[in-house]
Each structure stands twice: as C-alpha cells, then as structure tokens.
Amino acid sequence: MEYFEPKSVGDALSLLSKHGSEAKVIAGGTDVMVDIKFKEEPGCLVNIKKIPSLTGISESGGSVRIGALTTIRDIETNAVIREKLPVLWEAAHQFASLQVRNTATIGGNICRASPSGETLTPLLVLEANAILAFSDGERSEPFKSFFQGPGKSAAGVKGLLTEIEVPIPPAGSKGVYLKHAVRGAMDIAMVGIAVMLTPDAGKNNVQDVRIGLGAVAPTPLRAPKTEALLRGKPLTAALIKEAGALAATEASPISDQRSSAENRRWIVEALTRRGLEQTWKAATGKEVA
Amino acid sequence: MSVTINTTINGKAVSASAGASTSLLEFLRDTLEMKGSKLCCNTGECGACTVIYNGKPINTCVTMAADAIGAQIITIEGLADGDKLHPVQQAFIDTGAVQCGYCTPGFIMSVKALLDRTTKPTPADIEEAVSGNICRCTGYNKIVDAIHLAADKIAGRA
C-alpha cells in the first residue's frame, strides 16, 4: 500500500486524479481504519490531516463555515455552533463516544455517506452546502443532492470536501435532532430525525418546516410531502398525527440487525410527532392545541 | 510502505518505524512492547485501548500510528511515579473498581483526562467521560465511586 501526506488541497487532488479509485482518503480514521483491518487495504492511502486550511469554524455574512477536518468534539464545544446551530450541536453531542468525537471529523462523517450518519440530517434541514474541490475548480453542492447512496457522494473519487457552509436559520426558528438507539453512547441510530420549524410572525401557523430522516433509506433524506402538509397551518394534535403517519410513508427502511423495517417506520412516526411538538413549543412558547 | 514515527510518549522522545496502515495501538503494543493499552474490539467501540493524545482521550485502535508524529501521548505506563501509583489508579484499587481488569487501563486513561479538565466533575461529566469505555463485568457503580474518590484526592478534599 502506498501512503501520502499531502500538504495542500492541490497536492491531495493531484494524488486522487493519479490514483483514481485505488486511493482512499483518510482523516480521523475511525471508519477507514476499521475497513483497512476488516475489509481490505486500499491501493493507496491519502492522509489529508496535514492540510492546515481544512480545520476550524468561522461565522460571517449569515453563515457558519466549518472546515472538513474539524473534529466532532470541536463542533460540540464551539460556542457559535451551540448558539447558532443547536440542531447540529445536538447531533455532535450524541455522536459515538468522547474518544471517537475527539478523532472523527465532520468531513469524514459526511463523505462516509452512511444513511445513519449523525450530522447528516441536521445538515439537510439546515440546508447546508458542501464545498467541493476538484482539479478543475471548486463548487458548492447542496446536501440535498450530495448523497447518492451508502458511501457514495457528489465528491466522487476525485473530489475533496473542503468545507461545509451552513446558513444560520432565521431568528425564531427552532430545531431538534432525535436519535433512537438501544444504547445512549456508541450505538448506531435505528432512526435519526432532525426537525427545524419556523412559526409565522404571530406564532399561530407553521411558516416553514424541514424534516430530515436518517437511517431509513439508502441516503439521509427530507420528507417533502410531510413538510408541504404542515406549511401555513396551525400545529394541532390532529395535524401532528397526520404528519407522523405521512412521514413514515416517505421513509423506505430496510430490516437489519438493529431493527425491522416495520419498527423503523413506527419510530419515524413517533419521532416526527415528538420533533414537531418540541420545536413548536420551543418556537412559540405554546403547547400544541 | 513504512513511515518513521517521531513522537513523545510519557514525556520521552521515541523514534521507530511503522507500516502505513498500522494502528497506534499496534505500534504501542507490538513495536514498542508497551502492553498496558489493551486490544479488545479493535473497532473503536470499547475504549480498552484509550490513551491521552495531545490532552484528549482517543481510541488508539482506530488511530493511525502515523498520526502520532509530533504528538504528545500519555499511556497507562506513564501514570505511576516509580512505585507510587497515580491517584486514579489508587482510587480504582481502594474502591474495588476492578473485576477482570481488562477494561481498567482504558477507563483509567479516560478518567485521568476528565480529571485533568476538572476536579469537580458532575454526574453528567462522569457519564460522558466514560461513555466510550465498556466493562463487560458490568462493575460500573464502583468505577463511578473510584472517579469521585480520585477527584477528591486530587483536589485535596480527601
């Protein structure tokens, strides 16, 4: 196995162009090291951790920019994330264990493109963008079109995720990330759901709502029919019930060792209801009518 | 392909070569013959291989040895001062927080990292600090007792 430590994004891209699908990018390593041990060694390992420009969190012009090599722990302990992007903070806080959070990077969690990736549904409901570098230039890809299947993303084999650009949600909106797993720590979600809700000025109706579903389809996904059902209406108990049932139909879960598909649909229904109740109450100060 | 690892372990400069895909745990145990960090799940789930890396607890089984280059690493072997055990080690003995003992080095490193951050840990701090360490003998209550005792000893409260 060949091994490289590029010092710049340009050098990393040259290596990826040269080695193509033989090359594997490694950052924190918490997933890739397991693959190397239990699946197969790549032909060439490209360790991007020596590229200094890819780490850090900054806020400007209504957005937060997060370098792809920023660790999950650095996201969890960052004051801007806690205050401006609490839905992402919640996912970081529930991510694996402290040891893994100290090593794993947000870029790795994203490029792994696992349907259960903890940070992915929050990024979907935040309508964040992946900043991707290719040898012929940079482009911004919304996360709604970034994920193409388990382990497959718009970065492909020759692109590099360098940054995540997250628009700060409008004042008055509230988000929540709900994870259902057997164990609190170190467990993969059976279902993970992110909900972001913005009430209208009078706090009487849902102005905007975004629902992200994780671990219930080949990619994390939004629930557009459920969102459309809710927009412009007051959030009543009857509407929440209808929304939960509709969200369950927007998922296409599989049965595996963690859960049956049927159970996953029930959990989608329950967590969607819970997420709507919690965000409505937090955003309006009112109980659901 | 091998990489030369120049690193600092328990305050001492170390230089040795390692394969590019070698984990830091394999480097510690097999190259440096430091057997205190334990190989258990080998997938980053159980915490038996925990060391303190630049001040933070990490799982060495899923860390590349190459990432040790230039780092400051503390392992379980670096805690005792001669025959005098570190307060966290002594607290595990005094409270009987050891059953089979296999998970103990990893727990002790996670607890040391916690008590380096604060000597007044809340129950939530403690739960978070050791949530990535699994004891299959399930002796968690005494481990929590040991953490309180060690915190009190380090802060001079006991």
Side-chain angles (χ1 to χ4, degrees), chain A residues 3 37 41 49 99 101-102, chain B residues 21 42 50 57 61 67 133:
Chain A
Y3 175 72
K37 280 186 265 199
E41 247 187 34
K49 271 199 301 302
Q99 287 98 317
R101 296 204 289 278
N102 278 331
Chain B
S21 63
N42 213 14
T50 302
C61 71
D67 286 334
N133 293 83

Side-chain angles (χ1 to χ4, degrees), chain B residues 29-137:
Chain B
R29 289 179 59 87
D30 302 338
T31 306
L32 303 180
E33 293 287 325
M34 297 172 74
K35 306 284 191 185
S37 307
K38 299 304 180 202
L39 171 66
C40 184
C41 72
N42 213 14
T43 56
E45 296 180 48
C46 79
C49 66
T50 302
V51 305
I52 300 177
Y53 175 97
N54 292 337
K56 295 173 177 177
I58 63 158
N59 291 319
T60 51
C61 71
V62 287
T63 303
M64 300 166 83
D67 286 334
I69 296 169
Q72 295 279 339
I73 293 166
I74 302 169
T75 72
I76 187 76
E77 288 91 346
L79 295 200
D81 180 8
D83 288 340
K84 191 173 160 31
L85 293 179
H86 186 276
V88 177
Q89 293 173 304
Q90 192 60 52
F92 269 64
I93 294 172
D94 292 346
T95 56
V98 178
Q99 291 187 49
C100 87
Y102 202 77
C103 70
T104 308
F107 265 99
I108 287 176
M109 297 316 292
S110 285
V111 174
K112 180 183 188 300
L114 167 70
L115 300 182
D116 286 347
R117 298 194 293 277
T118 173
T119 55
K120 275 191 175 175
T122 64
D125 292 337
I126 290 173
E127 191 174 304
E128 178 185 61
V130 295
S131 62
N133 293 83
I134 294 176
C135 166
R136 281 302 72 154
C137 308

Side-chain angles (χ1 to χ4, degrees), chain A residues 62-276:
Chain A
S63 296
V64 177
R65 296 179 85 91
I66 304 171
L69 290 181
T70 307
T71 65
I72 302 298
R73 183 64 169 171
D74 283 345
I75 289 169
E76 186 191 8
T77 54
N78 182 276
V80 172
I81 302 285
R82 184 86 193 245
E83 189 193 331
K84 304 281 173 66
L85 308 173
V87 66
L88 184 59
W89 178 85
E90 284 181 16
H93 187 59
Q94 294 180 62
F95 193 108
S97 67
L98 190 53
Q99 287 98 317
V100 173
R101 296 204 289 278
N102 278 331
T103 315
T105 65
I106 187 165
N109 194 234
I110 292 166
C111 291
R112 185 75 176 177
S114 164
S116 60
E118 221 76 82
T119 64
L120 310 186
T121 49
L123 292 172
L124 279 178
V125 300
L126 287 162
E127 299 193 337
N129 300 299
I131 311 299
L132 302 172
F134 294 92
S135 51
D136 60 354
E138 192 181 89
R139 76 165 203 261
S140 174
E141 179 83 29
F143 279 107
K144 69 178 179 204
S145 53
F146 178 84
F147 301 106
Q148 299 173 347
K152 290 201 171 68
S153 76
V157 293
K158 292 187 175 174
L160 195 67
L161 173 68
T162 58
E163 235 180 357
I164 297 99
E165 187 259 324
V166 193
I168 294 171
S173 72
K174 292 289 175 190
V176 68
Y177 175 69
L178 301 170
K179 172 182 178 178
H180 187 77
V182 174
R183 226 180 148 257
M186 238 19 269
D187 203 355
I188 295 171
M190 279 182 219
V191 177
I193 287 192
V195 177
M196 171 86 53
L197 184 145
T198 313
D200 64 9
K203 296 185 177 179
N204 295 317
N205 298 298
V206 175
Q207 181 177 302
D208 188 29
V209 64
R210 306 170 192 169
I211 299 169
L213 310 178
V216 291
T219 65
L221 70 162
R222 291 272 293 269
K225 289 178 196 161
T226 311
E227 295 173 3
L229 170 75
L230 292 160
R231 266 187 217 108
K233 293 179 190 154
L235 200 65
T236 61
L239 185 60
I240 283 183
K241 198 173 170 195
E242 197 183 335
L246 186 56
T249 69
E250 295 199 72
S252 51
I254 55 164
S255 295
D256 63 10
Q257 72 276 20
R258 276 184 287 282
S259 172
S260 67
E262 186 186 20
N263 185 50
R264 279 197 164 96
R265 284 194 201 275
W266 287 336
I267 298 167
V268 168
E269 190 170 343
L271 293 187
T272 301
R273 290 201 308 248
R274 200 173 300 167
L276 289 169

